[in-house]
Amino acid sequence: MKKTTVIVGLGSCGIAAGAGKTFSEFQRIKAADKLDFELKKTSCVGMCFREPLVEIIDESGSYLYGQIDPAKADEIIEKHIKNFSPIPEYIVQSEKFPAADQSFFEGQVKIALRNCGYMDPENIEEYEARNGYAAIRKIANNYIKPDQVIQMVIDSGLRGRGGGGFSTGMKWKFARNYDAPQKYVICNADEGDPGAFMDRSILEGDPHGVLEGMIICGYAIGASEGYIYCRAEYPLAIKRLNIAIEQARQKGYLGKNLFGMEHFNFDIKIKEGAGAFVCGEETALIASIEGRRGMPRRRPPFPAQSGLWKSPTNINNVETFVNIPWIIFTGPQAYAAMGTEKSKGTKVFALTGKIKHGGLVEVPMGITIKDIIYKLGGGIADGKKFKAVQLGGPSGGCVPEYLSHTQVDYDSVNATGAIMGSGGMVVMDETTCVVDIARFFLDFTQKESCGKCTFCRIGTKRMLEILTRITVGEGREGDIELLEELAHSIKDGSLCGLGQTAPNPVLTTLKYFRDEYEAHIRDKKCPALSCKKLLTYKVDQEKCTGCMACTKGCPVDAIEGGKREPHFILQEVCIKCGVCFTKCKFGAIQLS
Amino acid sequence: MRVKRIAPEPIAPIAEPSVDLSPMDSLIAKYKGRQGNLIPLLQGTQELFGFIPREAFLKLHHDTGLNLSELYGVATFYAQFRLTPSGKHIIKMCHGTACHVQSVTAITDELLDFLDVKDGETTDDGLFTIETVACLGCCSLAPVMMIDEETHGKLTPKEALKIIKEIRRNEAL
């Protein structure tokens, strides 16, 4: 009889949702009741809205349970493990019990996420059992030459998944073509886009996959050293990478004369980033590894010619690298068979915001935004109306609802004014104010501008001031035109991607939601009822119970009315701070 | 008119520093003379003291020969480095896009108000430092805050306050 296995998802967000406690509970009861089941851990399977997730595999099949706290864990042990009777109410995916959440997995094609949530990331044997290190072995055993490897990557059509979308194979070719005694491979794991966590999940769930991708790259371009530049905000990812590197060294997968290939030496080091968004830019990242301020420099020379310590360097991001072993092992044609004409393969998206089923999804290129949101994501949360989706983070833009039939590929997304970016997809509903979102992103880029280029340093600051003014009801005629002028100057006058794309959130919202800007400026109204200073607060006399919670909270004593009497707000005294709205337990404060 | 150049004062390490800097010796021994050692040195120093004291800059400069201006320039460039002591607990309020859309600002305001500090400041009792950060990468649990190493998700202003009050109560015991 097959032994029952219990697998608990222990990614960062799973732990935040309480998966650690669930795991301990299984551990405790297993020891206390001397139960004979195997307890394992894995990483994020992407179904974030149902964390903590527990998978039970027994001889009858596999059952994925969602939102399992210690109490439910006890129930599962009692019913499922001891008495072989699964609990359908908690099941989110299983062949035996079709669950409503099943749709989240349908339509997904997992290549970059092939191992995330399916194995213990701290165990190299489990990775090897899933064709791990088989791609580099295939290269070694079949004497595939570096140029052939590069040709395979070119044939696959893989484009940089960090946002740039440049052909990965071509990039490798450039780095290979420069002769130098020392070359470097860098993995950009400085995922800084707010609203994106694809790379974190991959690093936490499949660290060996990233290492193997880098080893193959090292072989292809002729590099002997690799760096992973990882955000310090991802402590779990760094921990698992360190474990993975150590295991790979012990097995002889990192070091000298690897996989029986004489003269192929490759080792990997981790560099912890110190917190600067601009370090996602290649030349800034290199400066940071060299121990300097992360400021971009002019290109050319490109890193492929003169990168880290002035040596030829190839930089790709986490998702790009993790695709490589699959492409080499399965063959480039299989990868190229997916997607659209110019965007091949799959892309991972972090689906967040006002969405029912937020999480990590991997879909073939060419799927529409609408399908991602409605079919995989289950639609908008709380029955609200879909307004727009923000793609590409601070460098990207908002795509409005009426363009949600847009295909997800590099060129179609660019045509809307947004960018594919690294894969953040933040869904907004009717209560999200686009002017506020634009202000939010400008606030971010303004803080993160390294200060080298004047337009980026001062221009973003001026744009932020104007946007802030608009959202507090002090917008003036001509503000929109001034924003546009500044936006174009910043795009033209900045050296690196940060400045060149910083105005995108403003430009796209102006393009699709100009009327909302005008409402803010001319009528001093926020159509989404989100900008506090533009709202009028009123007490619904029917709902008010006279509990005085708002009266006590009001900092300017603008609310009148005694105990158990309906209150009212003195509009001329009200400073629109919104405290009464948050204090009221009965929903009696109305916004208009 | 000729420019009068002021010769920089020679910078020597402080003879009697206010903090014991000897734990830095092994760190310096490990990284001295290595390529790209500046950031790891600063990170290591911060790990020892919770911030980078003025005296530590001088010691790094003296013992490794790295430029003081470069050390200071790098330390002030990156968000990670602190030049003043932090509170016992560090509260990081995530202001990423997903958290922003889910009204994290209201929660931050509530906490700042309760702790009576501004963003980035430390409370008078030295218990909490609160700061807003770009993204903690737990977007599906938005709004999120991280206290020390623990992440708290799906917050409301009330819950966030409760967590803070509980820590304060436990500390008082």
Short mmCIF file of all heavy atoms in Angstrom, two decimals, chain A residues 391-423:
data_model
loop_
_atom_site.label_atom_id
_atom_site.label_comp_id
_atom_site.label_asym_id
_atom_site.label_seq_id
_atom_site.Cartn_x
_atom_site.Cartn_y
_atom_site.Cartn_z
N LEU A 391 -0.57 47.11 -16.07
CA LEU A 391 0.46 46.15 -16.49
C LEU A 391 1.83 46.81 -16.44
O LEU A 391 1.97 47.97 -16.78
CB LEU A 391 0.22 45.70 -17.93
CG LEU A 391 -1.03 44.89 -18.25
CD1 LEU A 391 -1.09 44.66 -19.75
CD2 LEU A 391 -0.99 43.58 -17.53
N GLY A 392 2.82 46.05 -16.01
CA GLY A 392 4.19 46.54 -16.11
C GLY A 392 4.63 47.46 -15.00
O GLY A 392 5.68 48.07 -15.09
N GLY A 393 3.86 47.59 -13.95
CA GLY A 393 4.29 48.37 -12.78
C GLY A 393 4.54 49.83 -13.11
O GLY A 393 3.88 50.39 -13.98
N PRO A 394 5.53 50.43 -12.43
CA PRO A 394 5.76 51.86 -12.59
C PRO A 394 6.23 52.24 -14.00
O PRO A 394 6.18 53.41 -14.36
CB PRO A 394 6.86 52.17 -11.58
CG PRO A 394 7.21 50.92 -10.92
CD PRO A 394 6.42 49.82 -11.45
N SER A 395 6.67 51.25 -14.78
CA SER A 395 7.09 51.56 -16.14
C SER A 395 5.96 51.33 -17.13
O SER A 395 6.09 51.62 -18.31
CB SER A 395 8.26 50.67 -16.56
OG SER A 395 9.24 50.69 -15.58
N GLY A 396 4.89 50.78 -16.64
CA GLY A 396 3.82 50.37 -17.55
C GLY A 396 2.67 51.34 -17.54
O GLY A 396 2.82 52.52 -17.29
N GLY A 397 1.49 50.80 -17.81
CA GLY A 397 0.34 51.68 -17.88
C GLY A 397 -0.94 50.94 -17.62
O GLY A 397 -0.95 49.73 -17.40
N CYS A 398 -2.04 51.70 -17.66
CA CYS A 398 -3.35 51.13 -17.41
C CYS A 398 -4.03 50.79 -18.72
O CYS A 398 -4.09 51.63 -19.62
CB CYS A 398 -4.22 52.12 -16.65
SG CYS A 398 -3.70 52.35 -14.97
N VAL A 399 -4.54 49.61 -18.82
CA VAL A 399 -5.32 49.21 -19.99
C VAL A 399 -6.79 49.21 -19.56
O VAL A 399 -7.15 48.52 -18.62
CB VAL A 399 -4.91 47.81 -20.48
CG1 VAL A 399 -5.74 47.41 -21.68
CG2 VAL A 399 -3.43 47.79 -20.81
N PRO A 400 -7.63 49.99 -20.23
CA PRO A 400 -9.03 50.10 -19.79
C PRO A 400 -9.85 48.87 -20.14
O PRO A 400 -9.44 48.06 -20.97
CB PRO A 400 -9.54 51.32 -20.54
CG PRO A 400 -8.72 51.36 -21.78
CD PRO A 400 -7.36 50.82 -21.42
N GLU A 401 -10.99 48.78 -19.54
CA GLU A 401 -11.86 47.62 -19.70
C GLU A 401 -12.18 47.36 -21.17
O GLU A 401 -12.14 46.23 -21.62
CB GLU A 401 -13.16 47.88 -18.91
CG GLU A 401 -14.06 46.69 -18.74
CD GLU A 401 -15.13 46.63 -19.81
OE1 GLU A 401 -15.47 47.67 -20.40
OE2 GLU A 401 -15.61 45.52 -20.07
N TYR A 402 -12.44 48.43 -21.94
CA TYR A 402 -12.86 48.19 -23.33
C TYR A 402 -11.73 47.67 -24.21
O TYR A 402 -11.96 47.28 -25.35
CB TYR A 402 -13.54 49.44 -23.93
CG TYR A 402 -12.65 50.62 -24.20
CD1 TYR A 402 -11.93 50.71 -25.40
CD2 TYR A 402 -12.55 51.67 -23.30
CE1 TYR A 402 -11.13 51.81 -25.66
CE2 TYR A 402 -11.75 52.77 -23.55
CZ TYR A 402 -11.04 52.83 -24.74
OH TYR A 402 -10.24 53.92 -24.99
N LEU A 403 -10.50 47.65 -23.69
CA LEU A 403 -9.41 47.04 -24.45
C LEU A 403 -9.00 45.69 -23.86
O LEU A 403 -7.93 45.18 -24.14
CB LEU A 403 -8.20 47.98 -24.47
CG LEU A 403 -8.31 49.22 -25.35
CD1 LEU A 403 -7.04 50.05 -25.25
CD2 LEU A 403 -8.57 48.85 -26.80
N SER A 404 -9.88 45.13 -23.03
CA SER A 404 -9.48 43.90 -22.35
C SER A 404 -9.45 42.70 -23.28
O SER A 404 -9.03 41.62 -22.90
CB SER A 404 -10.40 43.61 -21.16
OG SER A 404 -11.70 43.38 -21.64
N HIS A 405 -9.87 42.89 -24.54
CA HIS A 405 -9.72 41.80 -25.51
C HIS A 405 -8.30 41.78 -26.07
O HIS A 405 -7.96 40.94 -26.90
CB HIS A 405 -10.72 41.99 -26.65
CG HIS A 405 -10.60 43.33 -27.31
ND1 HIS A 405 -9.65 43.59 -28.24
CD2 HIS A 405 -11.27 44.49 -27.09
CE1 HIS A 405 -9.74 44.87 -28.60
NE2 HIS A 405 -10.72 45.44 -27.91
N THR A 406 -7.45 42.73 -25.62
CA THR A 406 -6.06 42.79 -26.07
C THR A 406 -5.35 41.48 -25.75
O THR A 406 -5.47 40.95 -24.66
CB THR A 406 -5.31 43.94 -25.36
OG1 THR A 406 -6.03 45.14 -25.59
CG2 THR A 406 -3.89 44.08 -25.85
N GLN A 407 -4.60 41.00 -26.75
CA GLN A 407 -3.81 39.79 -26.53
C GLN A 407 -2.60 40.11 -25.69
O GLN A 407 -2.01 41.18 -25.81
CB GLN A 407 -3.31 39.26 -27.87
CG GLN A 407 -4.33 38.47 -28.63
CD GLN A 407 -3.65 37.73 -29.78
OE1 GLN A 407 -2.46 37.86 -30.01
NE2 GLN A 407 -4.43 36.94 -30.48
N VAL A 408 -2.23 39.18 -24.86
CA VAL A 408 -1.03 39.38 -24.06
C VAL A 408 0.17 38.88 -24.87
O VAL A 408 0.45 37.70 -24.94
CB VAL A 408 -1.13 38.63 -22.72
CG1 VAL A 408 0.17 38.72 -21.97
CG2 VAL A 408 -2.25 39.22 -21.89
N ASP A 409 0.82 39.79 -25.56
CA ASP A 409 2.13 39.54 -26.16
C ASP A 409 2.84 40.89 -26.21
O ASP A 409 2.20 41.93 -26.03
CB ASP A 409 2.01 38.89 -27.55
CG ASP A 409 1.31 39.79 -28.54
OD1 ASP A 409 1.83 40.87 -28.82
OD2 ASP A 409 0.24 39.40 -29.04
N TYR A 410 4.15 40.88 -26.40
CA TYR A 410 4.92 42.13 -26.25
C TYR A 410 4.36 43.25 -27.11
O TYR A 410 4.18 44.37 -26.64
CB TYR A 410 6.39 41.89 -26.62
CG TYR A 410 7.12 41.05 -25.61
CD1 TYR A 410 7.28 39.68 -25.77
CD2 TYR A 410 7.63 41.63 -24.46
CE1 TYR A 410 7.93 38.92 -24.83
CE2 TYR A 410 8.29 40.87 -23.50
CZ TYR A 410 8.43 39.51 -23.70
OH TYR A 410 9.08 38.76 -22.76
N ASP A 411 4.05 42.93 -28.39
CA ASP A 411 3.70 44.01 -29.30
C ASP A 411 2.29 44.53 -29.08
O ASP A 411 2.06 45.73 -29.12
CB ASP A 411 3.90 43.52 -30.74
CG ASP A 411 5.29 42.92 -30.89
OD1 ASP A 411 6.24 43.72 -30.99
OD2 ASP A 411 5.42 41.68 -30.85
N SER A 412 1.34 43.63 -28.80
CA SER A 412 -0.04 44.09 -28.58
C SER A 412 -0.13 44.94 -27.33
O SER A 412 -0.86 45.94 -27.29
CB SER A 412 -0.99 42.91 -28.45
OG SER A 412 -0.83 42.03 -29.52
N VAL A 413 0.59 44.52 -26.28
CA VAL A 413 0.52 45.30 -25.04
C VAL A 413 1.19 46.65 -25.23
O VAL A 413 0.66 47.68 -24.80
CB VAL A 413 1.17 44.51 -23.87
CG1 VAL A 413 1.25 45.39 -22.63
CG2 VAL A 413 0.37 43.26 -23.55
N ASN A 414 2.33 46.68 -25.94
CA ASN A 414 2.99 47.96 -26.21
C ASN A 414 2.09 48.92 -26.96
O ASN A 414 2.12 50.12 -26.74
CB ASN A 414 4.27 47.74 -27.01
CG ASN A 414 5.40 47.22 -26.14
OD1 ASN A 414 5.26 47.15 -24.92
ND2 ASN A 414 6.50 46.85 -26.76
N ALA A 415 1.27 48.37 -27.86
CA ALA A 415 0.39 49.21 -28.67
C ALA A 415 -0.62 49.97 -27.81
O ALA A 415 -1.09 51.04 -28.20
CB ALA A 415 -0.33 48.36 -29.71
N THR A 416 -0.95 49.46 -26.64
CA THR A 416 -1.90 50.16 -25.79
C THR A 416 -1.24 51.28 -25.00
O THR A 416 -1.92 52.10 -24.39
CB THR A 416 -2.53 49.20 -24.74
OG1 THR A 416 -1.52 48.79 -23.83
CG2 THR A 416 -3.18 48.00 -25.38
N GLY A 417 0.10 51.31 -25.01
CA GLY A 417 0.82 52.33 -24.23
C GLY A 417 1.37 51.75 -22.95
O GLY A 417 2.22 52.35 -22.30
N ALA A 418 0.87 50.58 -22.55
CA ALA A 418 1.43 49.90 -21.39
C ALA A 418 2.61 49.06 -21.87
O ALA A 418 2.94 49.08 -23.06
CB ALA A 418 0.38 49.02 -20.73
N ILE A 419 3.26 48.35 -20.98
CA ILE A 419 4.29 47.40 -21.41
C ILE A 419 4.03 46.07 -20.71
O ILE A 419 3.35 46.00 -19.71
CB ILE A 419 5.72 47.88 -21.08
CG1 ILE A 419 5.92 48.05 -19.57
CG2 ILE A 419 6.07 49.14 -21.83
CD1 ILE A 419 7.36 48.07 -19.15
N MET A 420 4.60 45.03 -21.29
CA MET A 420 4.46 43.72 -20.70
C MET A 420 5.13 43.71 -19.33
O MET A 420 4.59 43.15 -18.38
CB MET A 420 5.16 42.70 -21.59
CG MET A 420 5.00 41.33 -21.09
SD MET A 420 3.47 40.67 -21.67
CE MET A 420 4.12 39.50 -22.81
N GLY A 421 6.28 44.34 -19.24
CA GLY A 421 6.98 44.42 -17.97
C GLY A 421 7.34 43.06 -17.45
O GLY A 421 7.42 42.09 -18.21
N SER A 422 7.54 42.97 -16.18
CA SER A 422 7.96 41.70 -15.62
C SER A 422 6.76 40.81 -15.33
O SER A 422 6.92 39.63 -15.06
CB SER A 422 8.79 41.92 -14.36
OG SER A 422 8.06 42.69 -13.45
N GLY A 423 5.56 41.34 -15.37
CA GLY A 423 4.39 40.47 -15.23
C GLY A 423 3.45 40.82 -14.10
O GLY A 423 2.61 40.01 -13.72
#
